Amino acid sequence: DGKTHHVNYAHNFPLNGGSFLHTELEVKEGDKVKSGQILGDSNFSRGHALALGKNLQSVSGDTRVFWIDDDGPHFDPIQDLHPRSGIITPTIDNKRIDLNPLRAYIGHFTDEGMVEVKTWNGYVFKCTESHSLVVFRDGELKEVKPADVQIDKDFIPRARRIEVPITAYEVKISSRLREHNVTLTREFGELCGLYISEGSPQRTKVSIAAQDPIIRERVIAIVQQILPGVNINANNPNAIIIHSAALLNFFVESFGRGADFKRIPGFCYAAPIEFREGLLSGYWAGDGTVVNTRNGSLDVVAYSNSRPLRDGLAFLGLTLGIRFSYVSGNSRIKAVHGIRLLIADAGRFPKINHSYKQEKLTHGLEKAQVWQSTDMVPLSIHDQNILRQRIEHIEISRRKALLREIARG
């Protein structure tokens, strides 16, 4: 009618129980609308219909997801995602992963049955029966329900790498008497990785269990570099004792204490590549294993009592283009959680400062014959023939290597 009408819509409006109401408008300036027309969807509706109970396509609250908010990056259970504006999450667009604003988020109870999905690489998640899964089938991506998934035939794609903006360059280490700004270098990342794997807080000091001479030398050199003048006790052949309340506070607040409760804090995902590589290197120097198998392959594995730590390490690797599969085991009293390096990405793994682990990694890369992975989608005969035609012009030595890879799928 040419007149101005005011229509109220909720914008991140908090509700009881930790939920919220938010509306995404579907109209823009200049659009023509009719009286009574619905102008948008809320986070409690889909297609302008109320989404409750069995209408929701959901994952369980303990599913870990990545997001960035005003406090920085997070890789935590989705139930910990607090409603606010400006949240950025990974989205898939044309088979590429980009970071985009979060449109809607619904925390709710459901009476619908939950399905547990486990992939060949060990990743497990739970979702409702109506939740859609994207699978690779017959040479293309398809959207199917869990009941329609073909076990041992369908492939669930996952990211090769997630690019996280670098926003964390230094951290503050402080006690009641001292305060230090420490740059997030590779060396400091290595020290953090060693604390996660071998560190133990003791009142006003930190103990790093270390018998390997290279590890002991690295710990002493790095601490002296970032905290000049700090008292370091290396008399114990099994551990290095660092007398620094400031470093103790930082380690405990950031990475936790005790093997069952350690974790990767959010700032690590937004730290420079060198710091992230150092953290993986330090952790593997402590708790990781590198084994050259009899069949000429390579087995690079690390275990932890903490599932959040295991998941955080795997995601940290993903930010570097290093993929892991999940493995599980059992100690005498509890289950343990492990990650195994995919051999296809072993060449990207950072150098391990250890007496023999790096040597084994290098030797394994030179001798490895088994490069197949359950992460790799088998090529159809048609696709194999196309690839063979495309590499006919390549030099003989390189062509033979590519043909062997194609034959393995």
Side-chain angles (χ1 to χ4, degrees):
D1 58 6
K3 298 180 181 179
T4 300
H5 298 269
H6 295 277
V7 181
N8 295 322
Y9 283 92
H11 180 79
N12 292 317
F13 184 79
L15 302 174
N16 292 333
S19 187
F20 73 111
L21 179 62
H22 179 71
T23 304
E24 287 285 341
L25 297 180
E26 299 172 351
V27 294
K28 59 183 181 298
E29 185 176 353
D31 288 351
K32 293 183 179 181
V33 297
K34 299 178 181 180
S35 177
Q37 176 181 336
I38 297 176
L39 306 182
D41 255 333
S42 78
N43 56 323
F44 283 97
S45 64
R46 287 292 184 273
H48 307 158
L50 186 65
L52 292 174
K54 294 188 177 181
N55 290 330
L56 290 171
Q57 300 180 7
S58 309
V59 295
S60 59
D62 60 354
T63 302
R64 290 187 173 271
V65 297
F66 178 76
W67 75 89
I68 302 174
D69 58 21
D70 293 338
D71 297 327
H74 303 263
F75 184 63
D76 295 312
I78 193 171
Q79 62 195 12
D80 296 341
L81 197 163
H82 299 296
R84 68 184 75 178
S85 60
I87 295 177
I88 305 296
T89 60
T91 57
I92 300 177
D93 183 18
N94 194 26
K95 300 181 183 179
R96 293 183 60 87
I97 293 181
D98 297 310
L99 296 176
N100 290 295
L102 178 67
R103 182 174 182 271
Y105 165 70
I106 308 172
H108 67 96
F109 296 99
T110 179
D111 57 358
E112 186 177 354
M114 300 294 289
V115 177
E116 182 176 273
V117 180
K118 183 176 182 179
T119 64
W120 283 354
N121 69 356
Y123 179 67
V124 178
F125 64 93
K126 296 178 181 179
C127 63
T128 56
E129 295 172 343
S130 60
H131 188 73
S132 296
L133 301 175
V134 176
V135 301
F136 186 84
R137 179 190 297 176
D138 300 329
E140 60 183 21
L141 294 176
K142 296 182 179 181
E143 188 174 321
V144 300
K145 301 300 181 185
D148 298 324
V149 171
Q150 299 177 10
I151 297 176
D152 292 337
K153 294 183 178 180
D154 286 339
F155 290 80
I156 296 180
R158 69 168 183 166
R160 291 186 68 92
R161 183 172 191 152
I162 293 183
E163 299 285 351
V164 178
I166 298 176
T167 57
Y169 295 94
E170 65 178 21
V171 291
K172 185 176 293 185
I173 297 179
S174 60
S175 65
R176 289 182 300 173
L177 302 177
R178 296 183 180 181
E179 183 174 294
H180 307 269
N181 290 325
V182 179
T183 303
L184 297 179
T185 61
R186 190 191 195 285
E187 291 76 18
F188 185 56
E190 190 176 340
L191 182 64
C192 292
L194 285 166
Y195 169 78
I196 298 171
S197 60
E198 302 291 354
S200 174
Q202 301 176 357
R203 301 185 70 176
T204 59
K205 56 191 176 183
V206 179
S207 172
I208 305 290
Q211 294 181 329
D212 185 85
I214 293 181
I215 293 180
R216 293 175 66 85
E217 291 174 5
R218 295 290 295 175
V219 170
I220 294 172
I222 295 171
V223 173
Q224 289 175 340
Q225 178 184 0
I226 63 174
L227 298 173
V230 165
N231 183 17
I232 303 173
N233 186 342
N235 294 330
N236 186 337
N238 299 316
I240 301 293
I241 309 299
I242 308 166
H243 294 266
S244 171
L247 190 61
L248 168 70
N249 293 340
F250 171 76
F251 279 155
V252 171
E253 291 173 5
S254 299
F255 301 100
R257 69 164 71 220
D260 294 343
F261 304 104
K262 287 183 178 175
R263 60 187 181 272
I264 302 295
F267 78 84
C268 293
Y269 306 121
I273 290 176
E274 295 79 9
F275 175 87
R276 286 176 270 157
E277 289 179 339
L279 194 150
L280 272 183
S281 170
Y283 185 81
W284 235 267
D287 273 351
T289 61
V290 181
V291 178
N292 301 127
T293 63
R294 291 183 178 180
N295 66 358
S297 186
L298 183 65
D299 196 25
V300 185
V301 186
Y303 287 95
S304 171
N305 287 349
S306 168
R307 181 175 177 178
L309 174 58
R310 186 274 308 268
D311 294 348
L313 287 168
F315 187 80
L316 189 75
L318 196 59
T319 69
L320 296 167
I322 300 171
R323 294 166 297 165
F324 296 95
S325 60
Y326 288 175
V327 293
S328 59
N330 290 281
S331 66
R332 294 181 179 179
I333 56 176
K334 65 177 66 175
V336 292
H337 312 281
I339 51 176
R340 171 173 282 119
L341 175 66
L342 296 187
I343 301 305
D345 293 343
R348 301 188 187 96
F349 200 80
K351 178 184 177 182
I352 306 172
N353 289 305
H354 187 275
S355 292
Y356 60 82
K357 291 180 182 179
Q358 180 58 39
E359 182 180 350
K360 286 190 172 184
L361 181 62
T362 302
H363 178 77
L365 285 172
E366 294 173 350
K367 301 296 183 180
Q369 299 296 321
V370 181
W371 290 86
Q372 296 100 321
S373 167
T374 55
D375 240 34
M376 299 169 65
V377 178
L379 294 176
S380 66
I381 299 299
H382 174 72
D383 291 334
Q384 291 185 29
N385 290 333
I386 291 176
L387 284 177
R388 286 191 176 96
Q389 293 171 7
R390 289 182 178 179
I391 66 173
E392 286 181 353
H393 65 282
I394 300 176
E395 64 176 346
I396 296 297
S397 59
R398 178 60 179 154
R399 188 192 309 174
K400 289 181 178 179
L402 288 172
L403 287 172
R404 285 196 297 269
E405 292 300 317
I406 292 174
R408 286 196 287 261

